[in-house]
Amino acid sequence: MFSTLRRYFVSFFLLILWLIAVFILHDGSAYSQLRADATEVNTLVSEVAQSTTNTSVTGNVRKTLLKNGLTVLTKEVHAAPVVTVQVWYKVGSRNEEAGINGIAHQLEHMLFKGTKSRPIQFGRLFSALGSDSNAFTSYDQTAYYGTAERDKLDALLLLEADRMQNSLIDAQQLVSEKRVVISELQGYENSSEYRLSRAVMQAAFPHHPYGLPVGGTKSDVEKFPVAQVRKYYRNFYSPNNAVLIVVGDFDTNQLLRKVEKTFAKIPKSGNISQVRQKISSTAKINTPIILKEPGAGALIHGVYPVPDVNHPDIPLLDVMNYILTEGRNSRLYQALVESGLASGVNGSVMSLLDGGWYEISLTASANEDLVKIDQVLQEAIANFQEIGVTEEEVKRAKKQLEASMILNNRDITSQAMQLGTDETTAGDYRYSDRYLTQVRQVQAKDVQRVAQQYLIATARTVGYFQPNQQQSQQVNINKNKTTQIAESFSSEAPENPREVFRYLPPLDRKNVTTIQSLPQQFNLPNGIRVLLLPDKSTPTVTLSGYIKAGTEFDPEEKSGLASLVTDNLMNGTTTQDAFTITKTLEERGANLKFNTYREGVEIQGSTLAGDLPILLQSLADVVQNSVFPTQELEISRHKAITELKQELDNPSAVARRIFVQSVYPKKHPLHTFPTEKSLENISRQDVMAFYEKHYRPDTTVLSLVGDFSSTQVRSLILDFFGSWEATGKPPTLKYPAVNLPSKIIRMNPVLPGKAQAITYMGGAGISRQDPRYYAALVLNQIFGGDTLSSRLGVEVRDRQGLTYGIYSTFQVGKNNGTFLIEMQTAPEDATKAIASTRKLLRQIHRFGVSSNEVETAKNTLISNYNVSLANPEELAYRMAINEIYGLKNEELRHFTQKIKAVNLKQVNQAARELLHPDKIIVVTAGPQIIAETIQ
């Protein structure tokens, strides 16, 4: 009990101060309310769940070294019948130099292009397995991962072993994939933050590969000869330069026998050279690097050199960063954001094999001078170095770091990622445990010492981004000139699906049920609906929720109102100011945030199990008692305007906005988007009125997954939410019918200074309640549900190399949503990619799909669904969203049965009824596109 009281000392102390203040400033009528609040806190402490004691990240991990040098890390986790298989290679951009920058990233792409024994796009094989698979390249490593049902474990191992030794690096395929990589790089170039960061890093580390962009540069990528890419593959893709990680539902001894059989025969390489290149010095640049380019917002980005990952000062630097930049109570947030100078500030410690850096980035508020902001930033750091930090700040930062480590490893994919990072960067999979031990020992004097030692003004490299061109979007529209496709189409799929099964490893398909038990549900008398699913696999709780207070209720002249309400929920209540609210959560490392969407406000929360009462109390307070202080509201409005300007400089956001407004007519609830004028029109009275009208218990759903007692949670929710009242019936909206356009409408909003074009194409779709929903999911999986394995991916991305990413989706809600296709292309490739996409649309609309495609898509959807439910965030969200859509709890299990029941006839009928290649809207935002007719 004593330790529990100590844990909540700050809460008791704040309560006592508040009691004294109320008695001094108010009359005795407040006494009964004060007694009620004090009783609530005492009850909260007495009912708090058992504190987390086991915070080990590497518990139950076993390390094995094969004779060929392959390191194998295994960890049994039996919470769900899923596994993740990951292979991490110790090669990244640190193994490059100017002239071959990006070759590791290019090689990563080529590892999906097939092997000698399986000359097929590996994305198609992973999709057939229902595996959530991908890869990434970083500074120190390149990693490949796949998470699937446990009966796919053998297949995942075989595929990774195959491409470790047999990958085809074909000259013709390299030419195609170079275009894909360049498309990816052009997407990065669209971001002013990326361009500024790249310039600063090149100046800060001119003699080390860490100063090069990880993805490479267009000029270097264009020059890679196939022989050079093959040489990199032979040199670095070897078992003695790799780490195999398997986490999930398996028996370790059986697994190791399979690994031995599958990987031991692969010969090790004698050509591996992992020379350490210590960062000895950085460029001394006393004046800021200034980029004057088209863009939306002014930016500052600065870096300070710091030691490598294994240096004992790294945990101290992380604590320092949390105190400086993490959360509302952080020093730099107070100095820059609360003062109105910046709309956001972020910091992070990048600790790598050869060295690292500490970076601080911020976005300036509108019309603020960067020199002035930078001066305030440096003064705040100097003050931090001079006066040091408090023990309270250190304690809070340490708790945040520890909680973050645990909360970020709730699912098996993340756990394996942590092991891979630690083993390949720090050289020890147990690094995170050592790191947490060091974090717990940090003291205030340590933080001040590292701030003084590393945050040296003369060691900093800093850059300013100054927009030099006002945003002006010229929209070119082609509504009338359309030519029908003249080609004759075959009814066959672009590639025979049987090819996939020819190269797929043997499978022992079993019925896998991820959900062992269904959520418990109860409703309070005021209408709030609660779903609970206890899960003891990690000492955490994940919260998902929903309130029907979305942007559909925005008045046209005050669009942005719903989001402004959401952004201000945690800015103060009748009992707490904003800093107390965030401090209470930060002291426990708990997270609570709100996101506004069209049909509602999503609630996301996570916490260590013992702190669940605090999370629930904070949520209850802000949804019932927010007061929207004027000063905070104005800061939030200015931030929203700054973010709007950035959004209107983002081709993806612009394309999506114009696409949606073209699908839905004016006066439709989904047509309206915020403008600077509409945001300025919103008054505090508007905010309070919206809050009072739309934040109601009878439109609220909460779902919780994690380590808790259902009885205790019921009691807490009744205590915190039971007195929440609603007046009258909930507000409703009537959505008018949406008609398809009579012909193709094509638009090209031009944004200055952009390298990549973003295209949205499609039209009106269906609702979640539509009886064709499950057939539409299968149809979409075949057409564009996966960038590497769908018809769109195989043709437009893989064969033609026109895009880095392309996908389609039916976006559904309680009301009709949209069917959309999104792709990213070089501006010169946009028209060809659109024409190819429309050709595939017409093909599938006319001739439908094959039975093999349907069965493959169904298996993929079912497997992906089962894998997703092993992640507590996804599970909690699906529990909530099913309730919102009026589906029964059994939908968690019945979803797979309904997908299994879909037949070929239903899918082809959906293709005829839902895909309309001659009546679509096409929006391409970014550079000027040559005005060609869509074929």
Side-chain angles (χ1 to χ4, degrees), residues 774-815:
Y774 300 96
L777 287 182
V778 176
L779 170 65
N780 183 72
Q781 181 64 31
I782 296 168
F783 178 67
D786 185 282
T787 292
L788 294 180
S789 66
S790 64
R791 287 197 183 187
L792 284 178
V794 167
E795 177 64 20
V796 183
R797 185 199 189 278
D798 212 42
R799 192 179 74 81
Q800 299 186 42
L802 297 175
T803 176
Y804 168 61
I806 184 169
Y807 76 95
S808 65
T809 182
F810 284 93
Q811 295 192 322
V812 300
K814 294 198 73 170
N815 299 282

CSV table of all heavy atoms in Angstrom, one decimal, residues 774-815:
chain,number,residue,atom,x,y,z
A,774,TYR,N,-18.9,-8.3,-48.8
A,774,TYR,CA,-17.9,-9.4,-48.7
A,774,TYR,C,-17.4,-9.8,-50.1
A,774,TYR,O,-16.2,-10.0,-50.3
A,774,TYR,CB,-18.4,-10.6,-48.0
A,774,TYR,CG,-18.8,-10.3,-46.5
A,774,TYR,CD1,-20.1,-10.0,-46.2
A,774,TYR,CD2,-17.8,-10.2,-45.5
A,774,TYR,CE1,-20.5,-9.6,-44.9
A,774,TYR,CE2,-18.2,-9.9,-44.2
A,774,TYR,CZ,-19.5,-9.6,-43.9
A,774,TYR,OH,-19.9,-9.2,-42.7
A,775,ALA,N,-18.3,-9.8,-51.1
A,775,ALA,CA,-17.8,-10.1,-52.5
A,775,ALA,C,-17.0,-8.9,-53.0
A,775,ALA,O,-16.0,-9.1,-53.7
A,775,ALA,CB,-19.1,-10.2,-53.4
A,776,ALA,N,-17.3,-7.7,-52.5
A,776,ALA,CA,-16.5,-6.5,-52.9
A,776,ALA,C,-15.1,-6.6,-52.4
A,776,ALA,O,-14.1,-6.2,-53.0
A,776,ALA,CB,-17.1,-5.2,-52.5
A,777,LEU,N,-14.9,-7.1,-51.2
A,777,LEU,CA,-13.6,-7.3,-50.6
A,777,LEU,C,-12.8,-8.3,-51.4
A,777,LEU,O,-11.6,-8.1,-51.7
A,777,LEU,CB,-13.7,-7.8,-49.1
A,777,LEU,CG,-14.2,-6.8,-48.1
A,777,LEU,CD1,-14.2,-7.5,-46.7
A,777,LEU,CD2,-13.3,-5.6,-48.0
A,778,VAL,N,-13.4,-9.4,-51.8
A,778,VAL,CA,-12.7,-10.4,-52.6
A,778,VAL,C,-12.3,-9.8,-54.0
A,778,VAL,O,-11.2,-10.0,-54.5
A,778,VAL,CB,-13.5,-11.7,-52.8
A,778,VAL,CG1,-12.8,-12.7,-53.7
A,778,VAL,CG2,-13.8,-12.3,-51.4
A,779,LEU,N,-13.3,-9.1,-54.6
A,779,LEU,CA,-13.0,-8.4,-55.9
A,779,LEU,C,-11.8,-7.5,-55.7
A,779,LEU,O,-10.9,-7.5,-56.6
A,779,LEU,CB,-14.3,-7.7,-56.3
A,779,LEU,CG,-14.1,-6.8,-57.5
A,779,LEU,CD1,-13.8,-7.5,-58.8
A,779,LEU,CD2,-15.4,-5.9,-57.7
A,780,ASN,N,-11.8,-6.7,-54.7
A,780,ASN,CA,-10.8,-5.7,-54.6
A,780,ASN,C,-9.4,-6.3,-54.3
A,780,ASN,O,-8.4,-5.8,-54.8
A,780,ASN,CB,-11.1,-4.7,-53.4
A,780,ASN,CG,-10.1,-3.6,-53.3
A,780,ASN,OD1,-10.0,-2.7,-54.1
A,780,ASN,ND2,-9.3,-3.7,-52.3
A,781,GLN,N,-9.4,-7.4,-53.6
A,781,GLN,CA,-8.1,-8.1,-53.3
A,781,GLN,C,-7.5,-8.6,-54.6
A,781,GLN,O,-6.3,-8.5,-54.8
A,781,GLN,CB,-8.4,-9.3,-52.4
A,781,GLN,CG,-7.1,-10.1,-52.0
A,781,GLN,CD,-6.1,-9.3,-51.2
A,781,GLN,OE1,-6.5,-8.4,-50.5
A,781,GLN,NE2,-4.8,-9.6,-51.4
A,782,ILE,N,-8.4,-9.0,-55.5
A,782,ILE,CA,-7.9,-9.5,-56.8
A,782,ILE,C,-7.4,-8.3,-57.7
A,782,ILE,O,-6.3,-8.3,-58.3
A,782,ILE,CB,-9.0,-10.2,-57.6
A,782,ILE,CG1,-9.4,-11.5,-56.8
A,782,ILE,CG2,-8.6,-10.6,-59.0
A,782,ILE,CD1,-10.6,-12.2,-57.3
A,783,PHE,N,-8.2,-7.2,-57.7
A,783,PHE,CA,-7.9,-6.1,-58.6
A,783,PHE,C,-6.7,-5.3,-58.1
A,783,PHE,O,-5.8,-5.0,-58.8
A,783,PHE,CB,-9.2,-5.3,-58.7
A,783,PHE,CG,-8.9,-4.1,-59.6
A,783,PHE,CD1,-8.7,-4.2,-61.0
A,783,PHE,CD2,-9.0,-2.8,-59.1
A,783,PHE,CE1,-8.4,-3.1,-61.8
A,783,PHE,CE2,-8.8,-1.7,-59.9
A,783,PHE,CZ,-8.5,-1.8,-61.2
A,784,GLY,N,-6.8,-4.8,-56.8
A,784,GLY,CA,-5.8,-3.9,-56.3
A,784,GLY,C,-5.5,-3.9,-54.9
A,784,GLY,O,-5.0,-2.9,-54.3
A,785,GLY,N,-5.8,-5.0,-54.2
A,785,GLY,CA,-5.7,-5.1,-52.8
A,785,GLY,C,-4.3,-5.2,-52.3
A,785,GLY,O,-4.0,-4.9,-51.1
A,786,ASP,N,-3.4,-5.5,-53.1
A,786,ASP,CA,-2.0,-5.7,-52.7
A,786,ASP,C,-1.1,-5.1,-53.8
A,786,ASP,O,-1.2,-5.4,-55.0
A,786,ASP,CB,-1.6,-7.1,-52.5
A,786,ASP,CG,-0.2,-7.4,-52.0
A,786,ASP,OD1,0.7,-7.3,-52.8
A,786,ASP,OD2,-0.1,-7.6,-50.7
A,787,THR,N,-0.1,-4.3,-53.5
A,787,THR,CA,0.7,-3.6,-54.5
A,787,THR,C,1.5,-4.6,-55.3
A,787,THR,O,1.8,-4.3,-56.4
A,787,THR,CB,1.6,-2.6,-53.8
A,787,THR,OG1,0.8,-1.5,-53.3
A,787,THR,CG2,2.6,-2.0,-54.7
A,788,LEU,N,1.9,-5.7,-54.7
A,788,LEU,CA,2.8,-6.6,-55.4
A,788,LEU,C,2.1,-7.8,-56.1
A,788,LEU,O,2.6,-8.4,-57.0
A,788,LEU,CB,3.9,-7.1,-54.5
A,788,LEU,CG,4.9,-6.1,-54.0
A,788,LEU,CD1,5.9,-6.8,-53.0
A,788,LEU,CD2,5.6,-5.4,-55.1
A,789,SER,N,0.9,-8.1,-55.6
A,789,SER,CA,0.3,-9.4,-56.1
A,789,SER,C,-1.0,-9.2,-56.8
A,789,SER,O,-1.5,-10.1,-57.5
A,789,SER,CB,0.1,-10.3,-54.9
A,789,SER,OG,-0.9,-9.8,-54.0
A,790,SER,N,-1.6,-8.0,-56.8
A,790,SER,CA,-2.9,-7.8,-57.5
A,790,SER,C,-2.7,-7.6,-58.9
A,790,SER,O,-1.6,-7.5,-59.4
A,790,SER,CB,-3.6,-6.6,-56.9
A,790,SER,OG,-2.8,-5.4,-57.1
A,791,ARG,N,-3.8,-7.5,-59.7
A,791,ARG,CA,-3.7,-7.3,-61.1
A,791,ARG,C,-3.0,-5.9,-61.4
A,791,ARG,O,-2.2,-5.8,-62.3
A,791,ARG,CB,-5.1,-7.3,-61.8
A,791,ARG,CG,-5.7,-8.7,-61.9
A,791,ARG,CD,-6.8,-8.7,-62.9
A,791,ARG,NE,-7.4,-10.0,-63.0
A,791,ARG,CZ,-8.4,-10.3,-63.9
A,791,ARG,NH1,-8.8,-9.4,-64.7
A,791,ARG,NH2,-8.9,-11.5,-63.9
A,792,LEU,N,-3.4,-4.9,-60.6
A,792,LEU,CA,-2.8,-3.6,-60.7
A,792,LEU,C,-1.3,-3.7,-60.4
A,792,LEU,O,-0.5,-3.1,-61.2
A,792,LEU,CB,-3.5,-2.6,-59.8
A,792,LEU,CG,-4.8,-2.0,-60.2
A,792,LEU,CD1,-5.3,-1.1,-59.1
A,792,LEU,CD2,-4.8,-1.3,-61.5
A,793,GLY,N,-1.0,-4.3,-59.3
A,793,GLY,CA,0.4,-4.4,-59.0
A,793,GLY,C,1.3,-5.2,-60.0
A,793,GLY,O,2.4,-4.7,-60.3
A,794,VAL,N,0.8,-6.3,-60.4
A,794,VAL,CA,1.5,-7.1,-61.4
A,794,VAL,C,1.8,-6.4,-62.7
A,794,VAL,O,2.9,-6.4,-63.2
A,794,VAL,CB,0.8,-8.4,-61.7
A,794,VAL,CG1,1.3,-9.2,-62.8
A,794,VAL,CG2,0.8,-9.3,-60.4
A,795,GLU,N,0.7,-5.6,-63.2
A,795,GLU,CA,0.9,-5.0,-64.5
A,795,GLU,C,1.5,-3.6,-64.4
A,795,GLU,O,2.5,-3.4,-65.0
A,795,GLU,CB,-0.5,-4.9,-65.1
A,795,GLU,CG,-0.5,-4.1,-66.5
A,795,GLU,CD,0.3,-4.9,-67.5
A,795,GLU,OE1,0.5,-6.1,-67.4
A,795,GLU,OE2,0.7,-4.2,-68.5
A,796,VAL,N,1.0,-2.7,-63.6
A,796,VAL,CA,1.4,-1.3,-63.6
A,796,VAL,C,2.7,-1.1,-62.8
A,796,VAL,O,3.6,-0.4,-63.3
A,796,VAL,CB,0.3,-0.4,-63.0
A,796,VAL,CG1,0.7,1.1,-63.1
A,796,VAL,CG2,-1.0,-0.6,-63.7
A,797,ARG,N,2.9,-1.8,-61.7
A,797,ARG,CA,4.1,-1.7,-60.9
A,797,ARG,C,5.2,-2.6,-61.4
A,797,ARG,O,6.3,-2.2,-61.7
A,797,ARG,CB,3.8,-1.9,-59.5
A,797,ARG,CG,5.1,-1.6,-58.6
A,797,ARG,CD,5.0,-2.3,-57.2
A,797,ARG,NE,6.0,-1.9,-56.3
A,797,ARG,CZ,7.2,-2.4,-56.3
A,797,ARG,NH1,7.6,-3.4,-57.2
A,797,ARG,NH2,8.2,-2.0,-55.4
A,798,ASP,N,4.9,-4.0,-61.4
A,798,ASP,CA,5.9,-5.0,-61.5
A,798,ASP,C,6.4,-5.1,-63.0
A,798,ASP,O,7.5,-5.2,-63.3
A,798,ASP,CB,5.4,-6.3,-61.0
A,798,ASP,CG,6.6,-7.1,-60.4
A,798,ASP,OD1,7.4,-6.5,-59.7
A,798,ASP,OD2,6.6,-8.3,-60.6
A,799,ARG,N,5.4,-5.2,-63.9
A,799,ARG,CA,5.8,-5.4,-65.3
A,799,ARG,C,6.2,-4.1,-66.0
A,799,ARG,O,7.3,-4.1,-66.6
A,799,ARG,CB,4.7,-6.0,-66.1
A,799,ARG,CG,5.1,-6.6,-67.5
A,799,ARG,CD,4.0,-7.2,-68.2
A,799,ARG,NE,3.0,-6.2,-68.7
A,799,ARG,CZ,3.2,-5.5,-69.9
A,799,ARG,NH1,4.3,-5.7,-70.6
A,799,ARG,NH2,2.3,-4.6,-70.3
A,800,GLN,N,5.4,-3.0,-65.8
A,800,GLN,CA,5.8,-1.8,-66.5
A,800,GLN,C,6.7,-0.8,-65.7
A,800,GLN,O,7.3,0.1,-66.2
A,800,GLN,CB,4.5,-1.0,-66.8
A,800,GLN,CG,3.6,-1.8,-67.8
A,800,GLN,CD,2.4,-1.0,-68.2
A,800,GLN,OE1,2.5,0.2,-68.5
A,800,GLN,NE2,1.2,-1.6,-68.2
A,801,GLY,N,6.7,-1.1,-64.4
A,801,GLY,CA,7.6,-0.2,-63.5
A,801,GLY,C,7.2,1.2,-63.5
A,801,GLY,O,8.0,2.1,-63.3
A,802,LEU,N,5.9,1.5,-63.6
A,802,LEU,CA,5.4,2.9,-63.7
A,802,LEU,C,5.2,3.5,-62.3
A,802,LEU,O,5.0,4.8,-62.2
A,802,LEU,CB,4.1,2.9,-64.5
A,802,LEU,CG,4.2,2.5,-65.9
A,802,LEU,CD1,2.8,2.5,-66.6
A,802,LEU,CD2,5.2,3.4,-66.7
A,803,THR,N,5.1,2.8,-61.2
A,803,THR,CA,4.8,3.3,-59.9
A,803,THR,C,5.5,2.6,-58.8
A,803,THR,O,5.8,1.4,-58.9
A,803,THR,CB,3.3,3.3,-59.7
A,803,THR,OG1,2.9,3.7,-58.4
A,803,THR,CG2,2.7,1.8,-59.9
A,804,TYR,N,5.8,3.3,-57.8
A,804,TYR,CA,6.3,2.6,-56.6
A,804,TYR,C,5.2,1.9,-55.8
A,804,TYR,O,5.4,0.9,-55.2
A,804,TYR,CB,6.9,3.7,-55.7
A,804,TYR,CG,7.3,3.2,-54.3
A,804,TYR,CD1,8.2,2.2,-54.1
A,804,TYR,CD2,6.7,3.8,-53.2
A,804,TYR,CE1,8.5,1.7,-52.8
A,804,TYR,CE2,7.0,3.4,-51.9
A,804,TYR,CZ,7.9,2.3,-51.7
A,804,TYR,OH,8.2,1.9,-50.4
A,805,GLY,N,4.0,2.5,-55.8
A,805,GLY,CA,2.9,1.9,-55.1
A,805,GLY,C,1.6,2.2,-55.8
A,805,GLY,O,1.3,3.3,-56.2
A,806,ILE,N,0.8,1.2,-55.9
A,806,ILE,CA,-0.6,1.3,-56.4
A,806,ILE,C,-1.5,0.3,-55.7
A,806,ILE,O,-1.1,-0.8,-55.5
A,806,ILE,CB,-0.6,1.0,-58.0
A,806,ILE,CG1,-2.0,1.3,-58.6
A,806,ILE,CG2,-0.1,-0.4,-58.3
A,806,ILE,CD1,-2.0,1.3,-60.1
A,807,TYR,N,-2.7,0.8,-55.4
A,807,TYR,CA,-3.6,-0.1,-54.7
A,807,TYR,C,-5.0,0.4,-54.9
A,807,TYR,O,-5.2,1.6,-55.3
A,807,TYR,CB,-3.3,-0.2,-53.2
A,807,TYR,CG,-3.7,1.0,-52.4
A,807,TYR,CD1,-5.0,1.1,-51.7
A,807,TYR,CD2,-2.9,2.1,-52.3
A,807,TYR,CE1,-5.4,2.2,-51.0
A,807,TYR,CE2,-3.3,3.2,-51.6
A,807,TYR,CZ,-4.5,3.3,-50.9
A,807,TYR,OH,-4.9,4.4,-50.2
A,808,SER,N,-6.0,-0.4,-54.6
A,808,SER,CA,-7.4,0.1,-54.7
A,808,SER,C,-8.1,-0.4,-53.4
A,808,SER,O,-7.6,-1.3,-52.7
A,808,SER,CB,-8.1,-0.6,-55.9
A,808,SER,OG,-8.2,-2.0,-55.7
A,809,THR,N,-9.2,0.3,-53.1
A,809,THR,CA,-10.0,-0.1,-51.9
A,809,THR,C,-11.4,0.4,-51.9
A,809,THR,O,-11.7,1.4,-52.6
A,809,THR,CB,-9.3,0.6,-50.6
A,809,THR,OG1,-10.0,0.2,-49.5
A,809,THR,CG2,-9.3,2.1,-50.7
A,810,PHE,N,-12.3,-0.3,-51.3
A,810,PHE,CA,-13.6,0.1,-51.1
A,810,PHE,C,-13.6,0.7,-49.7
A,810,PHE,O,-13.5,0.0,-48.7
A,810,PHE,CB,-14.6,-1.0,-51.1
A,810,PHE,CG,-15.0,-1.4,-52.5
A,810,PHE,CD1,-14.3,-2.5,-53.1
A,810,PHE,CD2,-16.0,-0.8,-53.3
A,810,PHE,CE1,-14.6,-2.9,-54.4
A,810,PHE,CE2,-16.3,-1.2,-54.6
A,810,PHE,CZ,-15.6,-2.2,-55.1
A,811,GLN,N,-13.7,2.0,-49.6
A,811,GLN,CA,-13.8,2.7,-48.2
A,811,GLN,C,-15.2,2.8,-47.8
A,811,GLN,O,-16.0,3.5,-48.5
A,811,GLN,CB,-13.1,4.1,-48.3
A,811,GLN,CG,-11.7,4.0,-48.6
A,811,GLN,CD,-11.0,5.3,-48.4
A,811,GLN,OE1,-11.5,6.4,-48.7
A,811,GLN,NE2,-9.7,5.3,-47.9
A,812,VAL,N,-15.5,2.1,-46.7
A,812,VAL,CA,-16.9,2.0,-46.3
A,812,VAL,C,-17.2,2.6,-45.0
A,812,VAL,O,-16.2,2.8,-44.2
A,812,VAL,CB,-17.4,0.5,-46.3
A,812,VAL,CG1,-17.2,-0.2,-47.6
A,812,VAL,CG2,-16.6,-0.3,-45.2
A,813,GLY,N,-18.4,3.0,-44.7
A,813,GLY,CA,-18.8,3.5,-43.4
A,813,GLY,C,-20.3,3.1,-43.2
A,813,GLY,O,-20.8,2.2,-43.9
A,814,LYS,N,-20.9,3.8,-42.2
A,814,LYS,CA,-22.3,3.5,-42.1
A,814,LYS,C,-23.1,4.0,-43.3
A,814,LYS,O,-24.2,3.5,-43.6
A,814,LYS,CB,-22.9,4.2,-40.8
A,814,LYS,CG,-22.3,3.7,-39.5
A,814,LYS,CD,-23.1,4.1,-38.3
A,814,LYS,CE,-24.4,3.4,-38.2
A,814,LYS,NZ,-25.1,3.6,-37.0
A,815,ASN,N,-22.5,5.0,-44.0
A,815,ASN,CA,-23.1,5.5,-45.2
A,815,ASN,C,-22.2,5.1,-46.4
A,815,ASN,O,-21.1,4.6,-46.2
A,815,ASN,CB,-23.3,7.0,-45.2
A,815,ASN,CG,-24.2,7.4,-44.0
A,815,ASN,OD1,-25.4,7.3,-44.1
A,815,ASN,ND2,-23.6,7.9,-42.9
